[in-house]
Amino acid sequence: MKATGLNQDLLRAAVEEFPADEFSAARSSAVAKLAGVGFPTVGDEDWKYTNLGLAAEISNGWLKTIIANHGAIAEQSNSEQVAMICQEIDAHWIIIQNGIIASDSLAELDGQAGSGISLSKLEFADKDDADDDAMSLFNVALLRDGLRITARANATTDKPIGILLADSPSSAVTQTRIVIDVGDNAHLRVVEYNLSVDPGRQFTNSVVQANLASGATVDHVRIQNRADDHVGVNKVTVNLDRDASYNHNSFDLGGALTRNDVITKIAGKGAAVNLNGLYLATGTQHIDNHTSILHLVGPSTSEEEYRGILAGSSQCVFNGKVIVSPGADGTDSRQSNHNLLLSDRAEIDTKPELEIYADDVKCAHGATVGQLDETALFYLRTRGLGMDEARKMITRAFAAGTLSTLAVTECQDHLAKVLDQRLDNLIGDGQ
Amino acid sequence: MLEVKNLKASIVGKEILSGLNLSVAAGEVHAIMGPNGSGKSTLAQVIAGQTDYEVTDGSVEFLGKDLLELETEERAREGIFLGFQYPVEIPGVNNAYLLKAAVNAKRKHHGLSEIDAFEFLKLAREKMAMLGMDQSFLNRGVNEGFSGGEKKRNEILQMAMLEPLLAILDETDSGLDIDALKAVANGVNSLRDPERAIVLVTHYQRLLDYIEPDYVHVLSGGRIVRSGDKSLALELEERGYEWVREAANA
């Protein structure tokens, strides 16, 4: 099957239908930049395993709808799931529905989320638009709203800030854009929840940019629990100044196709990046995690552990790039990727990429791919546990390893619950 | 309680057990001794239900039931416990969690209600004190990073919690220093009961100084070639296994 590409004529025509707003100029500029580029294809090394053909197909259909409706997009209502999540995870919640911030949630929260924390609609500035890769440009090309979180120097929050991306196919393509600026020694905790409130084909494309000033800390938990036929592309870019820390936990549970890029740049001495991820896939799910840690200066540290559990005919990708720039001496970097395959039809492509241009560095990496240990299963069964229970116990223990590093503990109970439900599905599908 | 008749079993086409007969009644302690490769561990594994071995002939009855028809977990719930020669490390699976799940799986099988957390902890602490185990073991991963002695104590703890009718302890004495050996033997002796049978699989006589068997069997070439009382073990210790092998071949 030949992959469909993004139809640039449709894109241009659709964007012209959008009512004029503060993003008009940025949209036009992004459309122009995207013209010569288009969506990445499997011919691009970074997209070797992830085919965006379906994303392009959904996009082209959606662009036609926008043109037919002269830019009008149906609003979407709240759902029970949203209410449940907001109740189960204690946070200051902001609801973003199909890329549009529910205005009441922002008005309620601004000034309430902690002293020195402000939440506002994004005013698009050129400095935020530094990325000109295709998916970032596509994000801007159809952008209708955005969120800015600013933490002044020394600011802290009593509860995490929750950002709930509640998307539904009433808008078949959704762009979300979040910019986070964290001042000197401020500490911001964020839960980003990616949810499909209705089933159906949908493509969401999100961009998160975080800038951490000297001594700032950001804890960022990202939970993706999308519907079965959802296509998601998510990009997180983080810049760290001196002694800043970025702690990231990502949990990918749902979706038909998910691609995550986490790109961190350490630009100040003493900064630390911790990336942790868990992906659970079954059926024909495809989950691709690309991470990049750039040590521009040293001493600095990065620690990364991603774990995957794969059942059915799922396919997952882990690509972890660590770059130690010339002069970044004193870099200490550890990376690992462990995978548990519950089915012999599941596939994992795991690739660490280390580029080291400095002398005095410590870098370690490792990847494992294994099945459930038969001896361990037998051992548990001799203790009276049934086969399914034994499989579940070992699988759950494997997944639980990623919860021990959870940066925002308010999510713990909810995560334990949804992980358990998902693992039940995987184990049922495993054999 | 346990009737093994003419049991033959092989692994990847190689016969390990070649017509083994063994009868164990409630209240008895049997020791099965024999040189390396004689089939001691295979016997233990086959009774527990390890499917790597293929049973090619014979029968195994437990309390009148055809054991070979039952799944491993069903055998366990019926009251068979295998103490492993090499207890398996299961990282991330909490020791207390496994113990509780195991106790409840058995209770459920026998139509009993699940044990509550308070009752469970009380029982576990009692048994651990008897075995000289620190309570922190409850919150560690199953055998994760345990020393050899700790692993064997953990096996006996599981046995004490599960209160099996038939306990088969495979080389429980191997790799133990004298204190650990005494603690383990103490744990096993405390479980001696007119309702319960214990089968000790061991290479050395040393364990039998602490757990006195009613019967001693010598396994060689996949069959029991001699049976006797505890004096047989002493004789083996003195004369080695060679004379048994020769006697069997004669």
Side-chain angles (χ1 to χ4, degrees):
Chain A
M1 188 179 72
K2 193 177 173 293
T4 338
L6 179 69
N7 186 322
Q8 304 278 356
D9 294 334
L10 286 177
L11 179 65
R12 230 178 342 262
V15 171
E16 277 169 16
E17 293 287 349
F18 273 32
D21 59 22
E22 65 268 40
F23 301 119
S24 296
R27 280 197 299 260
S28 300
S29 153
V31 170
K33 284 186 200 164
L34 196 55
V37 187
F39 279 5
T41 69
V42 291
D44 296 304
E45 185 60 27
D46 277 349
W47 292 83
K48 190 174 165 188
Y49 297 106
T50 299
N51 187 338
L52 286 180
L54 182 57
E57 193 185 310
I58 297 172
S59 299
N60 291 338
W62 177 238
L63 295 172
K64 284 180 200 161
T65 308
I66 294 177
I67 295 164
N69 296 337
H70 300 292
I73 292 165
E75 289 303 325
Q76 167 223 327
S77 59
N78 241 323
S79 83
E80 277 176 27
Q81 269 171 292
V82 169
M84 192 193 70
I85 290 164
C86 294
Q87 200 184 355
E88 290 189 355
I89 302 174
D90 191 19
H92 296 295
W93 283 104
I94 302 159
I95 318 290
I96 303 183
Q97 296 167 328
N98 285 338
I100 310 290
I101 304 168
S103 49
D104 51 338
S105 73
L106 199 58
E108 266 173 44
L109 269 183
D110 191 30
Q112 303 299 311
S115 67
I117 308 276
S118 72
L119 304 162
S120 57
K121 286 199 171 245
L122 184 65
E123 286 174 31
F124 208 83
D126 278 341
K127 73 178 173 74
D128 298 324
D129 189 26
D131 290 336
D132 58 0
D133 64 285
M135 301 320 288
S136 297
L137 289 172
F138 187 58
N139 177 271
V140 178
L142 291 176
L143 200 64
R144 294 155 67 216
D145 202 357
L147 173 68
R148 179 184 291 279
I149 304 175
T150 309
R152 281 204 308 268
N154 303 311
T156 54
T157 46
D158 54 341
K159 292 197 270 193
I161 292 180
I163 305 170
L164 212 162
L165 309 183
D167 295 304
S168 91
S170 62
S171 168
V173 175
T174 290
Q175 313 289 353
T176 309
R177 196 170 188 90
I178 300 163
V179 176
I180 300 171
D181 282 309
V182 187
D184 289 354
N185 302 312
H187 186 176
L188 190 68
R189 297 188 299 145
V190 177
V191 181
E192 178 198 333
Y193 208 112
N194 299 199
L195 181 76
S196 300
V197 295
D198 294 308
R201 270 194 358 174
Q202 192 192 21
F203 168 40
T204 63
N205 181 29
S206 81
V207 171
V208 176
Q209 293 178 344
N211 300 301
L212 281 64
S214 182
T217 300
V218 170
D219 300 325
H220 179 195
V221 174
R222 184 186 148 274
I223 303 167
Q224 181 272 103
N225 201 0
R226 298 288 199 181
D228 289 346
D229 37 12
H230 182 272
V231 177
V233 173
N234 311 290
K235 184 178 176 188
V236 178
T237 308
V238 184
N239 297 305
L240 296 94
D241 208 335
R242 193 182 179 106
D243 296 323
S245 304
Y246 176 68
N247 304 309
H248 181 83
N249 294 88
S250 88
F251 298 89
D252 281 283
L253 308 179
L257 182 145
T258 305
R259 162 67 180 244
N260 303 316
D261 280 278
V262 179
I263 297 158
T264 59
K265 291 175 197 146
I266 295 177
K269 286 184 179 180
V273 166
N274 294 300
L275 306 180
N276 294 281
L278 176 68
Y279 42 96
L280 307 181
T282 185
T284 54
Q285 268 183 284
H286 177 97
I287 301 172
D288 176 350
N289 279 294
H290 265 64
T291 66
S292 162
I293 301 167
L294 173 60
H295 289 265
L296 287 167
V297 294
S300 57
T301 60
S302 63
E303 220 170 307
E304 176 171 27
E305 182 175 342
Y306 271 68
R307 289 188 179 208
I309 302 174
L310 287 74
S313 303
S314 60
Q315 191 193 23
C316 293
V317 180
F318 174 78
N319 188 294
K321 191 183 277 186
V322 176
I323 304 164
V324 182
S325 300
D329 291 298
T331 290
D332 189 344
S333 170
R334 266 169 293 179
Q335 179 197 83
S336 65
N337 173 232
H338 301 296
N339 297 281
L340 182 59
L341 267 56
L342 300 179
S343 144
D344 53 11
R345 286 168 290 126
E347 180 183 322
I348 171 76
D349 296 287
T350 174
K351 185 179 174 192
E353 276 187 77
L354 268 67
E355 293 176 28
I356 302 170
Y357 304 104
D359 297 326
D360 178 21
V361 298
K362 276 198 280 183
C363 285
H365 68 90
T368 60
V369 180
Q371 279 117 34
L372 282 177
D373 180 354
E374 291 293 334
T375 321
L377 284 174
F378 177 63
Y379 185 76
L380 292 178
R381 292 175 72 202
T382 63
R383 275 31 180 172
L385 273 64
M387 189 56 144
D388 275 359
E389 202 181 352
R391 288 167 64 93
K392 193 173 174 198
M393 202 178 263
I394 298 173
T395 310
R396 192 197 277 143
F398 181 85
T402 58
L403 285 177
S404 62
T405 57
L406 194 62
V408 182
T409 50
E410 282 86 347
C411 311
Q412 176 107 34
D413 292 347
H414 175 81
L415 266 172
K417 187 183 84 172
V418 292
L419 289 180
D420 223 36
Q421 288 167 349
R422 194 70 191 142
L423 285 175
D424 273 347
N425 294 341
L426 260 68
I427 289 158
D429 294 350
Q431 283 175 316
Chain B
M1 179 183 283
L2 181 72
E3 293 292 340
V4 181
K5 285 184 185 149
N6 190 35
L7 183 64
K8 293 184 182 175
S10 49
I11 189 163
V12 288
K14 185 173 184 270
E15 187 170 272
I16 310 286
L17 299 180
S18 318
L20 186 139
N21 294 291
L22 178 69
S23 181
V24 178
E28 295 175 352
V29 175
H30 290 241
I32 294 182
M33 303 184 71
N36 290 330
S38 58
K40 303 190 299 289
S41 283
T42 300
L43 174 64
Q45 297 266 320
V46 167
I47 292 173
Q50 172 58 272
T51 49
D52 288 354
Y53 297 97
E54 191 195 351
V55 175
T56 54
D57 200 4
S59 65
V60 182
E61 275 189 7
F62 177 66
L63 298 171
K65 283 181 191 158
D66 180 358
L67 201 63
L68 301 177
E69 284 296 304
L70 300 180
E71 296 287 343
T72 298
E73 56 269 31
E74 292 168 330
R75 300 180 195 196
R77 293 169 194 161
E78 286 286 327
I80 292 179
F81 177 86
L82 172 64
F84 278 57
Q85 180 177 8
Y86 304 108
V88 183
E89 292 197 25
I90 311 180
V93 173
N94 183 284
N95 218 13
Y97 183 70
L98 167 61
L99 276 177
K100 195 157 176 257
V103 168
N104 282 330
K106 189 177 174 190
R107 290 179 66 91
K108 196 177 162 195
H109 180 72
H110 293 281
L112 299 169
S113 63
E114 292 200 351
I115 189 167
D116 71 41
F118 179 78
E119 214 180 322
F120 167 79
L121 267 180
K122 187 166 163 270
L123 195 64
R125 284 181 180 149
E126 227 170 74
K127 309 283 187 196
M128 292 177 92
M130 176 185 79
L131 289 163
M133 284 176 84
D134 193 274
Q135 284 178 18
S136 64
F137 279 94
L138 278 179
N139 297 318
R140 288 172 60 180
V142 175
N143 295 320
E144 193 179 356
F146 286 21
S147 72
E150 288 166 348
K151 284 181 182 172
K152 295 298 172 75
R153 282 182 212 223
N154 202 33
E155 293 292 286
I156 304 303
L157 172 65
Q158 293 176 5
M159 175 175 82
M161 292 296 289
L162 287 167
E163 300 184 326
L165 293 170
L166 171 65
I168 303 164
L169 304 177
D170 190 5
E171 304 278 2
T172 293
D173 51 330
S174 67
L176 294 187
D177 61 31
I178 195 69
D179 289 335
L181 181 67
K182 280 181 179 167
V184 163
N186 188 27
V188 174
N189 284 326
S190 74
L191 287 165
R192 286 184 85 144
D193 187 288
E195 303 283 303
R196 180 174 294 128
I198 297 170
V199 175
L200 305 167
V201 172
T202 179
H203 187 86
Y204 300 105
Q205 191 268 339
R206 185 177 72 148
L207 178 68
L208 307 181
D209 288 341
Y210 300 94
I211 309 171
E212 200 175 296
D214 300 304
Y215 300 95
V216 174
H217 310 277
V218 182
L219 198 57
S220 180
R223 285 182 301 131
I224 286 175
V225 293
R226 276 211 46 182
S227 293
D229 62 12
K230 62 179 176 176
S231 63
L232 178 59
L234 293 169
E235 204 175 343
L236 281 170
E237 185 77 354
E238 212 172 290
R239 300 176 62 181
Y241 284 114
E242 207 47 47
W243 68 275
V244 183
R245 228 177 272 166
E246 283 160 14
N249 292 336

